[in-house]
Amino acid sequence: MKNKNLKGGMYKMRRLLLALSLVLLLTISLSFAAEVKLRKGTWTHYVPYTTTPPTIDGNIDIREYFLSPRYYVGLKSDVDYIPENWKGPDDLSVYYYMLWDKDYLYIGAVVKDDSIVQLATGENIWQGDHIEMWFDTDLQNDFEDKQNNKDDYQLGISPGDFELLPPEIWVWTPPVLADEVKKAKIAVKRTNDGYTVEIAIPWSLLKVKPEPSYIMGFAFSPSDTDTPGKLDQEMMMSSAPGSSPNWGNPTFWGNLILIDPLENF
């Protein structure tokens, strides 16, 4: 038991030191970039580079994501679409991790959802339980634009229904080749209070050449449907509150910054 506690303490200390180093690295990096544009009053996701990508199997193993900050969407202030339908964190809340390498952006999420309802596939998955993400891949050059364009990607992540419908990744906008979407990876697992989902989004899908300090606009927005047999979006929350009711407006999204804390790129 003593060794176990010691290892646990060392592990927590390691994560704390890594977190401090990430903040320091970002502060130093941005201090030399006076012209960098960032959204204010919203979240900034710091996504670390990894040389050991997670296995996309639906198991959210902290040993694979230890470099990543832990992000959480599940507060009352995060609910920005039909908030009266949210009954608390057990109704819908998500914590998630993010990593990147030269080929993929990785996201591992643990979703609390006391009633999983998904009857749709393809472009209609928004009518059931899913996670929506927006990426503005050219944030610096169209920072003031209030309408999405060809460099703004809206992705949907459906867990399926854990019976007949498989999990899937869908791209609503802009139009992309089906073969590019097929390169994305997804795995889900049912849990006692919801589900877990892991995805790997190929950079080729987003037409991005990743490198440290690359900045994108980003919003991570879980959506909820609780009524069995119903096709409807009953509630939505977001890492960028205000983005859900302002569909396609990049000025409501947050920031995503690729970082390389261990200088392995």
Side-chain angles (χ1 to χ4, degrees):
M1 181 64 71
K2 182 177 180 180
N3 289 339
K4 183 177 181 181
N5 291 337
L6 179 60
K7 288 181 180 178
M10 292 177 64
Y11 180 71
K12 290 180 180 178
M13 179 62 68
R14 185 183 183 190
R15 283 186 60 85
L16 176 61
L17 291 174
L18 280 169
L20 292 174
S21 68
L22 294 181
V23 173
L24 179 60
L25 176 64
L26 184 67
T27 302
I28 293 174
S29 299
L30 294 182
S31 67
F32 290 100
E35 299 303 318
V36 168
K37 300 174 185 176
L38 292 173
R39 303 286 181 204
K40 297 180 180 179
T42 186
W43 290 27
T44 295
H45 290 75
Y46 307 122
V47 183
Y49 179 78
T50 182
T51 56
T52 54
T55 302
I56 306 301
D57 57 8
N59 292 314
I60 311 303
D61 188 340
I62 192 60
R63 292 171 296 182
E64 295 182 316
Y65 289 97
F66 75 94
L67 281 173
S68 173
R70 172 170 161 163
Y71 298 101
Y72 179 76
V73 179
L75 302 177
K76 185 177 181 179
S77 57
D78 299 329
V79 184
D80 62 353
Y81 180 70
I82 316 182
E84 59 271 22
N85 283 347
W86 187 64
K87 304 177 185 67
D90 290 338
D91 186 18
L92 182 65
S93 59
V94 184
Y95 69 83
Y96 57 102
Y97 306 94
M98 304 181 73
L99 297 168
W100 70 284
D101 62 16
K102 295 178 181 180
D103 299 311
Y104 290 93
L105 173 67
Y106 303 95
I107 300 176
V110 178
V111 181
K112 271 193 175 184
D113 189 342
D114 56 8
S115 177
I116 298 176
V117 178
Q118 179 56 276
L119 305 176
T121 60
E123 64 180 349
N124 293 316
I125 61 172
W126 66 272
Q127 294 178 306
D129 288 321
H130 72 287
I131 297 172
E132 176 185 299
M133 290 181 290
W134 279 99
F135 296 89
D136 182 351
T137 62
D138 194 20
L139 179 65
Q140 301 305 301
N141 291 321
D142 59 9
F143 191 81
E144 303 297 335
D145 288 3
K146 296 183 179 181
Q147 181 60 51
N148 62 293
N149 55 41
K150 63 181 180 180
D151 63 64
D152 300 317
Y153 291 77
Q154 183 192 26
L155 277 65
I157 311 301
S158 169
D161 65 357
F162 296 95
E163 292 182 1
L164 299 176
L165 299 183
E168 75 175 299
I169 297 175
W170 184 262
V171 181
W172 284 290
T173 187
V176 297
L177 296 175
D179 287 345
E180 284 297 326
V181 181
K182 289 178 181 178
K183 295 177 184 177
K185 304 174 184 178
I186 182 171
V188 301
K189 285 198 172 181
R190 191 75 163 89
T191 63
N192 291 332
D193 55 4
Y195 64 93
T196 59
V197 56
E198 281 188 295
I199 59 172
I201 302 170
W203 291 115
S204 60
L205 174 61
L206 302 176
K207 297 182 180 178
V208 165
K209 184 178 180 181
E211 60 182 359
S213 299
Y214 189 90
I215 301 173
M216 294 186 287
F218 180 67
F220 181 94
S221 306
S223 180
D224 195 31
T225 299
D226 282 342
T227 306
K230 189 175 183 180
L231 284 166
D232 192 18
Q233 187 176 45
E234 298 181 343
M235 183 269 290
M236 199 169 200
M237 56 177 53
S238 182
S239 65
S243 63
S244 300
N246 291 279
W247 185 94
N249 187 337
T251 63
F252 282 88
W253 307 342
N255 310 293
L256 186 155
I257 305 177
L258 302 183
I259 58 176
D260 182 20
L262 302 183
E263 299 184 346
N264 286 323
F265 183 75

